[in-house]
């Protein structure tokens, strides 16, 4: 019974090790303002996450503020196309295209130059991001695998010795 309890405990604790993701909600208030809300999908508060509003074409930052305990911010809608970025730390970010104002976005100059092609990183230079939850889960899986192999070998040896005793 003790083994079953231990195994059940290990399986249940793995559910709590998996990460959570940041959710960005944007609401049009109807008065040329938007409310930006940030929360984790587990229901945890995203207070302290950084909200940035940046121009799509130039990347210029129009607004930058951290979420308070209320988990939302109300700001005036920019007159040019923009992105809303919510940064909750490493591996926790969300981005949405901004809602246009009532009268639409102002006309902007279109860049007629060909955009420069972005260099794609080579496969050898790519970094694999990993959270501690994944590392711990893999470690637990290997420990369980090794324990299973060890117990199987021990039981097999016992069976072989029992069979040899019966032959004699």
């Amino acid at each position: 019974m003790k083994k079953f309890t231990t195994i059940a405990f290990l399986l249940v604790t793995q559910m709590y090790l998996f990460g959570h993701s940041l959710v960005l909600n944007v609401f049009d208030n109807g008065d040329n303002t938007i409310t930006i809300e940030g929360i984790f999908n587990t229901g945890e508060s995203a207070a302290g996450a950084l909200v940035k509003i940046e121009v799509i074409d130039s990347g210029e930052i129009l607004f930058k503020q951290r979420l308070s305990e209320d988990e939302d911010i109300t700001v005036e809608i920019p007159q040019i196309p923009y992105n809303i970025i919510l940064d909750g730390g490493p591996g926790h970010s969300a981005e949405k295209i901004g809602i246009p104002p009532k009268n639409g976005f102002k006309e902007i100059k279109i860049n007629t130059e060909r955009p420069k092609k972005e260099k794609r990183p080579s496969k050898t230079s790519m970094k694999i991001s990993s959270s501690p939850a994944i590392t711990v889960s893999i470690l637990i899986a290997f420990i369980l695998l090794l324990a299973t192999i060890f117990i199987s070998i021990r039981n097999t040896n016992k069976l072989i010795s029992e069979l040899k005793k019966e032959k004699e």
Side-chain angles (χ1 to χ4, degrees):
M1 186 65 177
K2 187 176 180 182
K3 287 181 185 178
F4 174 75
T5 307
T6 305
I7 292 172
F9 174 74
L10 288 174
L11 292 175
V12 170
T13 55
Q14 285 187 9
M15 290 189 311
Y16 295 105
L17 294 175
F18 289 109
H20 48 264
S21 59
L22 193 57
V23 178
L24 170 62
N25 295 316
V26 182
F27 305 101
D28 187 353
N29 298 327
D31 58 355
N32 262 354
T33 63
I34 53 172
T35 299
I36 302 166
E37 175 187 69
I39 191 165
F40 286 100
N41 64 350
T42 58
E44 293 178 61
S45 171
L50 182 64
V51 174
K52 289 191 290 186
I53 296 178
E54 69 178 29
V55 179
I56 289 178
D57 291 337
S58 66
E60 176 188 350
I61 296 177
L62 302 173
F63 178 83
K64 190 175 181 180
Q65 184 177 332
R66 295 206 174 268
L67 285 176
S68 65
E69 293 296 322
D70 299 336
E71 300 170 357
D72 63 13
I73 294 175
T74 301
V75 295
E76 195 170 316
I77 297 176
Q79 297 299 310
I80 54 178
Y82 63 99
N83 277 338
I84 302 166
I85 301 165
L86 181 61
D87 185 3
H92 296 98
S93 64
E95 184 174 336
K96 283 193 177 181
I97 295 175
I99 298 171
K102 284 182 180 181
N103 300 330
F105 291 122
K106 287 183 181 176
E107 248 185 73
I108 56 172
K109 290 182 183 179
I110 298 174
N111 189 357
T112 56
E113 290 181 20
R114 285 187 164 189
K116 294 179 182 176
K117 289 186 178 180
E118 293 182 20
K119 284 188 176 179
R120 294 178 62 193
S122 66
K123 290 182 181 180
T124 55
S125 69
M126 288 184 176
K127 291 184 179 179
I128 298 173
S129 63
S130 164
S131 71
I134 293 172
T135 305
V136 170
S137 297
I138 291 171
L139 181 65
I140 290 172
F142 277 120
I143 290 171
L144 290 173
L145 177 66
L146 292 174
T148 304
I149 292 170
F150 174 76
I151 292 169
S152 295
I153 291 171
R154 192 182 72 191
N155 288 341
T156 303
N157 288 337
K158 282 183 181 180
L159 285 171
I160 290 172
S161 65
E162 290 286 327
L163 289 172
K164 283 183 181 178
K165 284 180 185 178
E166 285 182 13
K167 281 187 178 180
E168 292 175 1

